Amino acid sequence: MPAIVGFAQVISIGSSGVFHIGDVFNISPISTAKTFAGAGSFITGRGISVYNESSLTYTVDDDTMDQGIILNV
């Protein structure tokens, strides 16, 4: 359904970011990334306590390709 949008000021968009207003059929990524992090790595906020006696982050990845971006133009 079409929409009327007022002014939009975009200061910055990352190298693989998407700025979208209105209808869209398909938004496809043009880059991929893989992140490995241990327990409690992405927790944000006040008064957070993480108790972790034994933490292992396995970074062995036997996949040849996780998600291809060849046809996303």
Side-chain angles (χ1 to χ4, degrees), residues 44-68:
T44 59
R46 290 186 180 189
I48 303 282
S49 296
V50 177
Y51 298 102
N52 213 8
E53 280 189 37
S54 176
S55 175
L56 298 173
T57 303
Y58 295 104
T59 58
V60 177
D61 186 14
D62 296 331
D63 296 339
T64 305
M65 184 184 326
D66 291 329
Q67 177 181 350

Side-chain angles (χ1 to χ4, degrees), residues 6-66:
F7 293 101
Q9 180 181 11
V10 179
I11 303 299
S12 169
I13 296 179
S15 61
S16 63
V18 174
F19 178 72
H20 166 240
I21 293 178
D23 297 339
V24 68
F25 175 73
N26 189 9
I27 297 177
S28 299
I30 56 172
S31 69
T32 59
K34 185 176 287 188
T35 303
F36 297 103
S41 296
F42 299 114
I43 296 176
T44 59
R46 290 186 180 189
I48 303 282
S49 296
V50 177
Y51 298 102
N52 213 8
E53 280 189 37
S54 176
S55 175
L56 298 173
T57 303
Y58 295 104
T59 58
V60 177
D61 186 14
D62 296 331
D63 296 339
T64 305
M65 184 184 326
D66 291 329

